[in-house]
Amino acid sequence: MSERIDGRVSLVTPEGGLMGERRAHPGTPLRLTRRGRVVVVCAVALALLAGYWTGARHGARATSGGERGSAVARESVIVGPRDTLWGIAVRARPEVDPRVTVQRMIDLNALSTAVVNPGQKIYIPAR
């Protein structure tokens, strides 16, 4: 049986409800299909991972920022046009292994790589 509703033709069941219409019964628990459960679990896991990643980045920056203000880093250098972290490490701490100094500069300045740009301010670790 069909019926016109708002200018459209819709199928009506013998009970008077529209075909395809689902009625929610109060008190009936929500049931998810297997695919629905997988989607919910993946969404929750993704949200947790994003939160951990953001928290880890914030914690790393807070640690390196705190070190800048303390006695750990009193000196800073402005990177020149042909400067590298290795060259800065050799000039700043000639008595220390440059590999150690470079790694400490990377940690202290929260750098993701050992690449620096001219004009960048780099903090030198204390002796």
Side-chain angles (χ1 to χ4, degrees):
M1 171 179 197
S2 66
E3 182 177 293
R4 279 196 176 273
I5 299 175
D6 295 332
R8 292 177 285 160
V9 175
S10 301
L11 296 176
V12 179
T13 62
E15 296 85 28
L18 295 175
M19 292 272 270
E21 178 183 311
R22 292 188 179 202
R23 295 181 182 168
H25 298 287
T28 304
L30 178 67
R31 294 178 54 188
L32 291 175
T33 62
R34 182 172 188 263
R35 183 172 42 176
R37 287 190 300 269
V38 168
V39 168
V40 168
V41 167
C42 288
V44 169
L46 185 63
L48 287 173
L49 285 174
Y52 289 138
W53 181 71
T54 303
R57 287 189 53 158
H58 178 69
R61 293 203 186 275
T63 300
S64 64
E67 289 176 356
R68 284 188 195 140
S70 69
V72 174
R74 292 186 184 155
E75 290 182 59
S76 64
V77 173
I78 303 298
V79 178
R82 294 182 187 255
D83 280 343
T84 61
L85 284 181
W86 188 273
I88 294 170
V90 169
R91 284 193 315 268
R93 306 286 180 257
E95 70 282 353
V96 181
D97 184 5
R99 292 174 292 189
V100 173
T101 307
V102 166
Q103 187 58 52
R104 287 183 66 199
M105 284 192 294
I106 289 172
D107 295 340
L108 182 64
N109 292 285
L111 301 173
S112 58
T113 65
V115 177
V116 289
N117 299 313
Q120 186 175 356
K121 186 176 185 178
I122 298 292
Y123 291 95
I124 307 294
R127 296 177 192 243

